[in-house]
Amino acid sequence: EDQVTQSPEALRLQEGESSSLNCSYTVSGLRGLFWYRQDPGKGPEFLFTLYSAGEEKEKERLKATLTKKESFLHITAPKPEDSATYLCAVRLFSGGYNKLIFGAGTRLAVHP
Amino acid sequence: EPEVTQTPSHQVTQMGQEVILRCVPISNHLYFYWYRQILGQKVEFLVSFYNNEISEKSEIFDDQFSVERPDGSNFTLKIRSTKLEDSAMYFCASSTKATSGDSSTDTQYFGPGTRLTVL
Protein backbone atom coordinates (compact mmCIF):
# COMPACT_ATOMS: atom_id res chain seq x y z
CA GLU A 1 0.00 0.00 0.00
CA ASP A 2 1.26 3.48 -0.87
CA GLN A 3 2.11 5.39 2.29
CA VAL A 4 3.55 8.72 3.35
CA THR A 5 4.81 9.10 6.91
CA GLN A 6 5.97 12.35 8.45
CA SER A 7 8.02 12.79 11.59
CA PRO A 8 8.02 14.18 14.13
CA GLU A 9 4.30 14.83 14.59
CA ALA A 10 5.10 18.04 16.44
CA LEU A 11 8.26 20.06 16.90
CA ARG A 12 8.93 22.97 19.20
CA LEU A 13 11.94 25.16 18.44
CA GLN A 14 13.45 28.30 19.85
CA GLU A 15 13.90 31.13 17.39
CA GLY A 16 17.16 30.56 15.56
CA GLU A 17 17.34 26.84 16.41
CA SER A 18 17.72 24.94 13.10
CA SER A 19 16.13 21.52 12.59
CA SER A 20 14.81 19.10 9.98
CA LEU A 21 11.44 17.54 9.24
CA ASN A 22 11.24 14.10 7.68
CA CYS A 23 8.90 12.62 5.08
CA SER A 24 9.35 8.95 4.25
CA TYR A 25 7.38 7.24 1.53
CA THR A 26 6.68 3.76 0.30
CA VAL A 27 5.08 4.08 -3.11
CA SER A 28 5.12 2.06 -6.29
CA GLY A 29 6.49 4.88 -8.40
CA LEU A 30 7.13 8.51 -7.59
CA ARG A 31 6.11 11.30 -9.94
CA GLY A 32 6.95 14.16 -7.69
CA LEU A 33 7.14 14.93 -3.99
CA PHE A 34 5.55 18.15 -2.79
CA TRP A 35 5.96 20.22 0.34
CA TYR A 36 3.16 22.50 1.48
CA ARG A 37 2.71 24.79 4.46
CA GLN A 38 -0.70 24.91 6.15
CA ASP A 39 -1.76 27.55 8.65
CA PRO A 40 -4.72 26.79 10.96
CA GLY A 41 -8.03 26.89 9.12
CA LYS A 42 -6.35 27.62 5.77
CA GLY A 43 -5.54 25.73 2.61
CA PRO A 44 -2.14 24.17 1.86
CA GLU A 45 0.32 26.71 0.48
CA PHE A 46 2.82 25.36 -2.05
CA LEU A 47 6.49 25.42 -1.10
CA PHE A 48 8.52 22.97 -3.22
CA THR A 49 8.36 20.16 -5.76
CA LEU A 50 11.11 17.54 -6.01
CA TYR A 51 11.19 14.99 -8.84
CA SER A 52 14.32 12.87 -8.50
CA ALA A 53 16.75 11.62 -5.87
CA GLY A 54 19.51 14.11 -5.18
CA GLU A 55 17.41 17.12 -6.07
CA GLU A 56 17.39 20.11 -3.71
CA LYS A 57 15.29 23.27 -3.61
CA GLU A 58 15.67 26.35 -1.39
CA LYS A 59 13.46 29.25 -0.41
CA GLU A 60 14.46 31.71 2.27
CA ARG A 61 15.05 29.68 5.47
CA LEU A 62 13.74 26.43 3.97
CA LYS A 63 15.59 23.77 2.01
CA ALA A 64 14.05 20.56 0.72
CA THR A 65 16.02 17.47 -0.28
CA LEU A 66 15.00 14.12 -1.77
CA THR A 67 16.41 10.59 -1.64
CA LYS A 68 14.91 7.37 -3.00
CA LYS A 69 12.98 6.76 0.20
CA GLU A 70 12.56 10.07 1.98
CA SER A 71 12.61 13.82 1.85
CA PHE A 72 13.82 16.33 4.39
CA LEU A 73 12.69 19.88 4.95
CA HIS A 74 15.52 21.74 6.64
CA ILE A 75 14.67 24.93 8.51
CA THR A 76 17.61 27.22 9.17
CA ALA A 77 17.40 29.85 11.93
CA PRO A 78 13.59 29.71 12.10
CA LYS A 79 11.45 32.66 13.11
CA PRO A 80 8.07 32.64 14.90
CA GLU A 81 6.33 33.29 11.57
CA ASP A 82 7.57 29.89 10.37
CA SER A 83 5.16 28.28 12.83
CA ALA A 84 2.69 26.16 10.84
CA THR A 85 1.95 22.59 9.85
CA TYR A 86 4.23 21.34 7.07
CA LEU A 87 2.67 18.78 4.77
CA CYS A 88 4.43 16.35 2.49
CA ALA A 89 2.58 14.79 -0.46
CA VAL A 90 3.55 12.36 -3.21
CA ARG A 91 2.18 11.85 -6.67
CA LEU A 92 2.35 8.34 -8.06
CA PHE A 93 3.63 7.08 -11.39
CA SER A 94 1.32 4.16 -11.94
CA GLY A 95 -2.37 4.91 -12.31
CA GLY A 96 -3.27 7.80 -10.06
CA TYR A 97 -0.93 10.43 -11.37
CA ASN A 98 -3.56 13.06 -10.87
CA LYS A 99 -3.87 12.68 -7.14
CA LEU A 100 -1.65 13.61 -4.24
CA ILE A 101 -1.27 11.36 -1.22
CA PHE A 102 -0.59 13.42 1.87
CA GLY A 103 1.22 12.67 5.09
CA ALA A 104 -0.27 13.69 8.42
CA GLY A 105 2.03 16.69 8.69
CA THR A 106 4.49 18.07 11.21
CA ARG A 107 3.20 20.86 13.48
CA LEU A 108 6.04 23.31 13.97
CA ALA A 109 6.01 25.90 16.74
CA VAL A 110 8.83 28.45 16.86
CA HIS A 111 9.06 30.46 20.06
CA PRO A 112 10.89 33.78 20.47
CA GLU B 1 -0.59 36.59 -8.01
CA PRO B 2 -3.40 34.35 -9.30
CA GLU B 3 -5.09 32.21 -6.67
CA VAL B 4 -7.85 29.67 -6.24
CA THR B 5 -10.92 31.06 -4.51
CA GLN B 6 -13.71 29.17 -2.75
CA THR B 7 -17.17 30.08 -1.50
CA PRO B 8 -18.63 29.98 1.02
CA SER B 9 -15.90 29.96 3.63
CA HIS B 10 -18.23 28.21 6.08
CA GLN B 11 -21.40 26.25 5.33
CA VAL B 12 -23.70 24.87 8.01
CA THR B 13 -26.38 22.42 6.92
CA GLN B 14 -28.79 19.93 8.38
CA MET B 15 -28.22 16.23 7.90
CA GLY B 16 -29.93 15.02 4.73
CA GLN B 17 -29.72 18.35 2.94
CA GLU B 18 -27.82 19.00 -0.28
CA VAL B 19 -24.92 21.44 -0.43
CA ILE B 20 -22.95 22.92 -3.29
CA LEU B 21 -19.40 24.10 -2.70
CA ARG B 22 -18.00 26.51 -5.24
CA CYS B 23 -14.50 27.12 -6.52
CA VAL B 24 -12.92 29.43 -9.05
CA PRO B 25 -9.65 27.82 -10.21
CA ILE B 26 -6.67 29.79 -11.52
CA SER B 27 -7.68 31.05 -14.94
CA ASN B 28 -5.21 29.23 -17.24
CA HIS B 29 -5.37 25.93 -15.36
CA LEU B 30 -6.91 22.88 -16.99
CA TYR B 31 -6.98 20.29 -14.20
CA PHE B 32 -9.23 20.66 -11.18
CA TYR B 33 -9.38 18.74 -7.93
CA TRP B 34 -11.33 18.40 -4.71
CA TYR B 35 -9.76 17.24 -1.46
CA ARG B 36 -11.15 17.11 2.03
CA GLN B 37 -9.63 17.24 5.51
CA ILE B 38 -11.57 16.00 8.49
CA LEU B 39 -10.52 17.85 11.64
CA GLY B 40 -7.20 16.54 12.89
CA GLN B 41 -6.74 14.13 9.98
CA LYS B 42 -4.83 13.98 6.71
CA VAL B 43 -5.80 15.79 3.53
CA GLU B 44 -7.59 13.21 1.36
CA PHE B 45 -8.08 13.17 -2.40
CA LEU B 46 -11.67 13.07 -3.61
CA VAL B 47 -11.70 13.65 -7.38
CA SER B 48 -9.85 15.10 -10.33
CA PHE B 49 -11.52 16.66 -13.35
CA TYR B 50 -10.23 17.44 -16.83
CA ASN B 51 -11.83 18.28 -20.14
CA ASN B 52 -15.31 18.27 -18.58
CA GLU B 53 -15.09 14.81 -17.15
CA ILE B 54 -13.82 13.02 -14.07
CA SER B 55 -10.31 11.65 -14.68
CA GLU B 56 -9.95 9.92 -11.33
CA LYS B 57 -11.90 9.51 -8.12
CA SER B 58 -11.27 7.97 -4.72
CA GLU B 59 -13.35 5.44 -2.83
CA ILE B 60 -14.76 8.31 -0.79
CA PHE B 61 -16.28 9.88 -3.91
CA ASP B 62 -19.39 7.73 -4.17
CA ASP B 63 -22.82 8.46 -5.66
CA GLN B 64 -23.45 11.04 -2.96
CA PHE B 65 -20.92 13.34 -4.61
CA SER B 66 -20.81 14.99 -8.01
CA VAL B 67 -18.70 17.66 -9.68
CA GLU B 68 -19.44 20.07 -12.45
CA ARG B 69 -17.88 22.91 -14.38
CA PRO B 70 -21.03 24.86 -15.18
CA ASP B 71 -19.25 27.67 -16.99
CA GLY B 72 -15.76 28.77 -17.97
CA SER B 73 -14.71 29.82 -14.50
CA ASN B 74 -16.52 27.86 -11.78
CA PHE B 75 -15.96 24.32 -10.53
CA THR B 76 -18.47 22.90 -8.07
CA LEU B 77 -18.75 19.97 -5.68
CA LYS B 78 -22.27 18.84 -4.85
CA ILE B 79 -22.94 16.65 -1.84
CA ARG B 80 -26.39 15.11 -1.79
CA SER B 81 -28.10 14.00 1.42
CA THR B 82 -25.30 15.12 3.73
CA LYS B 83 -24.25 12.98 6.68
CA LEU B 84 -22.64 13.94 9.97
CA GLU B 85 -19.38 12.37 8.79
CA ASP B 86 -19.25 14.74 5.80
CA SER B 87 -18.26 17.53 8.20
CA ALA B 88 -14.79 18.60 7.08
CA MET B 89 -12.75 21.26 5.31
CA TYR B 90 -13.14 20.89 1.55
CA PHE B 91 -10.31 22.20 -0.59
CA CYS B 92 -10.37 22.89 -4.28
CA ALA B 93 -7.10 22.80 -6.20
CA SER B 94 -6.02 23.38 -9.79
CA SER B 95 -3.00 22.83 -12.00
CA THR B 96 -1.99 23.54 -15.58
CA LYS B 97 -1.09 19.94 -16.27
CA ALA B 98 -1.51 16.61 -14.46
CA THR B 99 2.14 15.70 -14.57
CA SER B 100 4.98 17.22 -16.53
CA GLY B 101 8.13 17.06 -14.46
CA ASP B 102 8.03 20.83 -14.38
CA SER B 103 6.82 22.38 -11.15
CA SER B 104 5.69 25.50 -12.96
CA THR B 105 2.95 23.51 -14.72
CA ASP B 106 2.08 20.44 -12.64
CA THR B 107 1.93 21.84 -9.14
CA GLN B 108 -1.52 21.77 -7.58
CA TYR B 109 -2.47 25.10 -6.00
CA PHE B 110 -5.05 24.98 -3.25
CA GLY B 111 -7.84 27.34 -2.30
CA PRO B 112 -8.55 28.51 1.25
CA GLY B 113 -11.22 25.85 1.80
CA THR B 114 -14.87 25.64 2.77
CA ARG B 115 -15.62 24.43 6.26
CA LEU B 116 -18.72 22.22 6.05
CA THR B 117 -20.57 21.54 9.27
CA VAL B 118 -23.40 19.00 9.16
CA LEU B 119 -25.76 19.11 12.14
Side-chain angles (χ1 to χ4, degrees):
Chain A
E1 183 185 348
D2 300 315
Q3 273 199 324
V4 179
T5 303
Q6 292 189 246
S7 62
E9 288 184 13
L11 181 63
R12 178 190 171 110
L13 298 174
Q14 289 298 120
E15 185 172 2
E17 180 187 0
S18 301
S19 188
S20 296
L21 313 182
N22 177 264
C23 171
S24 63
Y25 56 92
T26 52
V27 298
S28 51
L30 187 70
R31 282 288 249 203
L33 184 142
F34 300 80
W35 282 98
Y36 289 86
R37 168 189 170 131
Q38 186 176 33
D39 292 301
K42 302 291 178 64
E45 175 188 345
F46 171 70
L47 294 173
F48 303 109
T49 310
L50 302 165
Y51 293 99
S52 55
E55 192 173 356
E56 298 182 351
K57 294 272 180 74
E58 277 189 77
K59 179 181 178 181
E60 295 181 353
R61 295 178 292 282
L62 301 177
K63 179 180 177 180
T65 61
L66 182 65
T67 72
K68 288 187 177 180
K69 293 186 176 181
E70 59 191 348
S71 176
F72 291 93
L73 184 66
H74 307 277
I75 304 177
T76 302
K79 299 181 177 181
E81 53 262 42
D82 294 322
S83 298
T85 295
Y86 290 85
L87 303 175
C88 167
V90 299
R91 184 173 56 214
L92 307 181
F93 176 77
S94 59
Y97 57 80
N98 272 352
K99 70 180 180 187
L100 299 180
I101 299 175
F102 280 84
T106 293
R107 291 189 314 278
L108 174 66
V110 182
H111 297 268
Chain B
E1 184 175 324
E3 58 184 22
V4 177
T5 59
Q6 291 185 242
T7 55
S9 57
H10 191 189
Q11 174 87 51
V12 180
T13 190
Q14 294 292 324
M15 189 170 54
Q17 296 298 304
E18 175 182 288
V19 296
I20 298 176
L21 310 183
R22 292 182 167 79
C23 167
V24 178
I26 294 173
S27 62
N28 65 335
H29 285 188
L30 302 176
Y31 291 81
F32 314 114
Y33 314 85
W34 284 100
Y35 291 80
R36 79 173 185 189
Q37 186 176 32
I38 295 170
L39 187 63
Q41 297 188 23
K42 297 181 181 183
V43 176
E44 302 174 285
F45 170 79
L46 292 178
V47 66
S48 61
F49 190 86
Y50 169 71
N51 199 26
N52 277 323
E53 60 183 29
I54 291 173
S55 52
E56 186 173 6
K57 60 183 181 180
S58 72
E59 294 175 352
I60 303 168
F61 195 89
D62 59 20
D63 293 342
Q64 183 193 7
F65 295 89
S66 62
V67 289
E68 188 180 31
R69 188 154 165 83
D71 54 44
S73 59
N74 290 283
F75 179 51
T76 62
L77 173 69
K78 182 188 290 186
I79 309 175
R80 286 179 283 274
S81 189
T82 50
K83 307 170 190 171
L84 296 176
E85 54 264 39
D86 294 328
S87 295
M89 282 287 281
Y90 287 81
F91 296 110
C92 173
S94 68
S95 65
T96 308
K97 296 184 178 181
T99 175
S100 67
D102 178 354
S103 64
S104 68
T105 56
D106 68 7
T107 295
Q108 294 182 25
Y109 292 91
F110 285 75
T114 293
R115 179 173 300 282
L116 177 64
T117 301
V118 182
L119 302 176

